[in-house]
Amino acid sequence: MALTVLGTVLGSLAGCGSGGTSSSDHPSAGGRTPTAVRAPSASPSVGATPTTTRQPPTPAPGGLTPVFAHGARTGEKVVALTFDADMTADEGPRAAAGEHFDNPELIALLRRLKVPATVFMTGRWVDEYPAQARSIGADPLFEVANHSYSHYAFTSPCYGLPTVAKGDMRGDVERAFAAFRKAGVRNVVPYFRFPGGCYDDAVRRALAPERVTAVQWDVVSGDAFATNADAVAQQVLDGVRPGSLVVMHCTRSAAPVTDRAVGQVVPELRRRGYRFVKVSDLMRG
């Protein structure tokens, strides 16, 4: 696998925490000072290992969770679109009041266009939308990966997100996998995306026993809170190179124009000779 272990801040992304990596992933409650909170722990009766479609990766040398940011830059013109299905652990009242953290129109568009994709779900999102999570996981066009249970930050500062207490990080990841199992989500792959894209070596070391690969990106779509679909599409088109991995969102309330942007990006990249693949395919390449 073409693993890129990142120890320094990616030049194209905004800094987030000492020695970590970040993006304009999903800034939440901007301006709020992050505070350490205890993420809800997984039930002791639930095992930690998810059902996956392939063997989990071996932790990188030095006991650090490996990080993958993009595929090979030579050879075939392939690109992976990834979508974060975000919902933090404390957003239940907002969903109950009618806020939409899902985006079924986007998923339907990907199906119509026959675009493979990797969807990073938070466990709280799966709890809120179990039928949609099952449908996505049952579709061979998609694969499902872990975006934490709570969508709380693993390092601080990170866009005003509350932070998971150090001793609860593994439990938060395990609880997301448990939510997948409870909802009957299939085609789960052993990949993890840090909320906000924020991490450091201490976090990579803490999560190494989970035997997941942390998946970042090299193209930031800018769809979070965007209102101009044309601008989002152009940012993606300007950034894509062979082997690129694009971060986007599957959340209507926080990324309302993503489906319209995708509707522009897909045909244009195909016109340029690109083929769409899942993250697992990009890694194999």
Side-chain angles (χ1 to χ4, degrees), residues 192-268:
F192 175 71
R193 174 164 284 166
F194 290 101
C198 306
Y199 72 93
D200 57 23
D201 280 357
V203 173
R204 290 174 59 205
R205 188 170 292 108
L207 293 186
E210 294 302 310
R211 298 178 68 81
V212 293
T213 293
V215 176
Q216 295 289 98
W217 51 83
D218 68 313
V219 177
V220 179
S221 69
D223 68 337
F225 305 109
T227 57
N228 187 330
D230 295 343
V232 173
Q234 193 59 54
Q235 184 159 316
V236 174
L237 294 172
D238 288 345
V240 166
R241 301 160 54 194
S244 276
L245 200 159
V246 183
V247 59
M248 305 185 86
H249 293 80
C250 187
T251 311
R252 272 182 285 177
S253 62
V257 302
T258 303
D259 54 339
R260 283 182 281 157
V262 168
Q264 298 180 47
V265 166
V266 170
E268 175 58 23

Side-chain angles (χ1 to χ4, degrees), residues 110-253:
L110 293 172
R111 285 170 167 153
R112 286 198 304 272
L113 296 176
K114 295 180 172 54
V115 177
T118 304
V119 183
F120 289 82
M121 300 179 183
T122 67
R124 181 63 186 86
W125 190 93
V126 173
D127 286 348
E128 191 69 27
Y129 304 106
Q132 291 189 52
R134 280 195 301 274
S135 175
I136 292 169
D139 192 329
L141 200 61
F142 306 121
E143 62 188 7
V144 175
N146 192 317
H147 195 28
S148 81
Y149 180 84
S150 63
H151 201 255
Y152 291 165
F154 282 54
T155 60
S156 178
C158 186
Y159 303 110
L161 290 171
T163 54
V164 179
K166 183 177 181 180
D168 293 335
M169 291 177 183
R170 287 186 61 192
D172 197 56
V173 175
E174 291 167 3
R175 192 181 183 197
F177 281 131
F180 296 169
R181 289 194 297 273
K182 180 180 178 182
V185 180
R186 298 168 55 192
N187 198 22
V188 177
V189 288
Y191 309 149
F192 175 71
R193 174 164 284 166
F194 290 101
C198 306
Y199 72 93
D200 57 23
D201 280 357
V203 173
R204 290 174 59 205
R205 188 170 292 108
L207 293 186
E210 294 302 310
R211 298 178 68 81
V212 293
T213 293
V215 176
Q216 295 289 98
W217 51 83
D218 68 313
V219 177
V220 179
S221 69
D223 68 337
F225 305 109
T227 57
N228 187 330
D230 295 343
V232 173
Q234 193 59 54
Q235 184 159 316
V236 174
L237 294 172
D238 288 345
V240 166
R241 301 160 54 194
S244 276
L245 200 159
V246 183
V247 59
M248 305 185 86
H249 293 80
C250 187
T251 311
R252 272 182 285 177
S253 62

